Amino acid sequence: MIALVSLLMFLFPPADTPVAVIEKLHPDLDAVVDAHTAINVIADGFEWVEGPLWVEQEKMLLFSDVMKNRIYKWTAEKGTSVYLEPSGYTAAVPRGKELGSNGLALDPQGQLVICQHGDRRIAVMSASLSDPRPAFITAAGRYTNKKFNSPNDLAIKSNGDIYFTDPPYGLEKGPEDPVRELAFHGVYRIARDGTVSLLTDSLTRPNGIAFFPGEKQLLIANSDPQKPHWYIYDLTGKGALANGRIFFDGAAIFGKEHRTPDGIKISNKGIVFAPGPGGVWIFNKDGLPLGRIKTTLITSNCAFSGDQRTLFITADHCVLRVALK
């Protein structure tokens, strides 16, 4: 009976139970977020939300519902509405699992770039941000003439180069899916001329990806329960990865709270916000944990507002908003 009550409390918490709280682990967190700040749900009722992106010129937040094959839009004035459908799978044959879009980003030309799980490609929406349509141009769909697994997250350099991860989560049968063509889960770069380069094939489940300020270092989350780590790489002058090492070892926390590293965003001050076990972890540029936005919801990714004073978090079936300093 006690176990049943506990389960019901987890699934249906009392109305006054905070959806998330700030957990302070180091005094330097005080310069990042107020430990007593309110954390609000601004959108709810989705199946699995991912890939948030703040579009400053439209004052809107875009985010993917991966299971529903939609991108939603949220604004402070009008709330939530469907922005783009289909967003990640455009074939006529019905399919399930994580078929929609995932990571979203803007290129230097202001075009929406989309990680499309179902279509297994990086695509650019060939329509304006203010008048979206499901019309896409493939930026990259193959490596050595083999289809990607399911591009998951991306980061775009100021010169237009697209860096992205390619785990198996968008395949209907996961890594054992017979349609899978590549034998590894890679991290890639799409150069401005369209050339696709494999940067590393050594990560077991590459997921979130983000540049540190200055674009000389790259952080990648590995969402593998056996290696739940965040890895940091130096970038060479030609855009390749070098000197890969562990930025933060998540094995100890994974043993207590079973959720692996996922999306990543890094502020212009070098502060890392990294969804993972128990919520969103906050690290300094050296990998020291400053604190955590702690929640029982499964957090997938996050995004900053234009002035970086607000953090939006995609968490399971809803979107959270947290004020930053």
Side-chain angles (χ1 to χ4, degrees), residues 84-128:
L84 187 66
E85 184 180 18
S87 65
Y89 180 63
T90 58
V93 179
R95 59 151 287 180
K97 296 293 184 180
E98 298 184 18
L99 75 166
S101 58
N102 196 310
L104 309 173
L106 296 180
D107 66 16
Q109 290 73 46
Q111 297 174 296
L112 181 62
V113 185
I114 305 171
C115 292
Q116 294 188 318
H117 270 191
D119 285 351
R120 299 166 66 186
R121 63 179 175 172
I122 299 291
V124 179
M125 184 178 73
S126 58
S128 69

Side-chain angles (χ1 to χ4, degrees), residues 176-254:
E176 307 306 319
D177 199 310
V179 305
R180 181 180 174 190
E181 298 180 18
L182 292 164
F184 53 86
H185 304 119
V187 179
Y188 300 88
R189 177 174 69 99
I190 309 171
R192 287 163 289 174
D193 64 2
T195 302
V196 179
S197 302
L198 174 66
L199 301 176
T200 180
D201 61 2
S202 64
L203 298 183
T204 48
R205 292 291 187 275
N207 198 312
I209 185 169
F211 294 104
F212 280 91
E215 300 180 341
K216 294 182 179 180
Q217 292 183 313
L218 184 71
L219 190 65
I220 302 174
N222 193 53
S223 54
D224 180 352
Q226 303 304 314
K227 297 180 179 180
H229 311 316
W230 288 269
Y231 293 89
I232 186 171
Y233 296 84
D234 298 327
L235 268 71
T236 69
K238 295 183 178 180
L241 303 185
N243 192 28
R245 65 267 188 202
I246 292 177
F247 177 77
F248 185 79
D249 184 335
I253 55 174
F254 176 77

Side-chain angles (χ1 to χ4, degrees), residues 44 46 320:
D44 202 348
F46 311 102
L320 312 180

Side-chain angles (χ1 to χ4, degrees), residues 9 12-19:
M9 288 287 286
F12 306 102
D16 60 349
T17 300
V19 67

